[in-house]
Amino acid sequence: MQRRVFHKMIPLAALVLAVALFATACGRAVLRFTDSGRTMSRTEVIELARSVDLGPAYGAASSEAVKHRATALTELRSHGKAAQALADALTAAFPADYQGVPAYVEAASVDGRDCWIVVEAKPSTAGPSKLTARRYWLFGRATYDVIESGTLD
């Protein structure tokens, strides 16, 4: 009798494993947030922007950028009051159909200035139908003014 029960449990165990693997794959973070306050140079910011994981928005169709952006800004708001204020500033500063999708946000000191570093996935100039390029932004931490931005296609 034990053997019959064991054979019936194999398909159930396989199903549970498949669901767990699927959930892990789909659970990839939309946005990475860190409030480390580390000190960086402008050059280090550009290298960070070149290497950071752009999450599930990377490679998505440009037509889905607004949806991905809304999801990323919602997630950013979940990281406390300072992150909420940044998300509000990003929402107010860009048009509703803006196609840049924030994927990485960090509070840091860059060349002596307190900044928000935002790295986003954006449509490439070479192939604008997909979000395969990167843009980085440096915003003033207290004022949200644009200090610098750059595109890395």
Side-chain angles (χ1 to χ4, degrees), residues 49-93:
R50 285 187 203 282
S51 65
V52 72
D53 180 4
L54 295 179
Y58 181 78
S62 296
S63 60
E64 295 185 10
V66 172
K67 176 185 76 163
H68 284 287
R69 182 175 177 77
T71 301
L73 291 173
T74 297
E75 187 169 322
L76 179 57
R77 286 182 174 92
S78 73
H79 291 282
K81 290 186 180 201
Q84 287 173 4
L86 175 61
D88 291 345
L90 292 174
T91 300

Side-chain angles (χ1 to χ4, degrees), residues 3-4 9 12 22 26 39 51 53-54 61-62 70-71 75 82 85 90 93 100 115-116 133-134 136 140 148-149:
R3 194 172 206 196
R4 290 178 86 188
M9 292 182 70
L12 177 61
F22 180 75
C26 292
T39 300
S51 65
D53 180 4
L54 295 179
S62 296
T71 301
E75 187 169 322
L90 292 174
C115 296
W116 286 110
R134 298 162 182 265
Y136 70 91
E148 181 177 329
S149 72

Side-chain angles (χ1 to χ4, degrees), residues 15 28 33 42 44 48 51 58 61 70 89 91 102 116 127 131 138 142:
L15 177 64
R28 188 172 170 200
F33 175 83
R42 178 184 171 277
E44 289 171 314
L48 172 74
S51 65
Y58 181 78
T91 300
W116 286 110
L131 303 177
L138 296 178

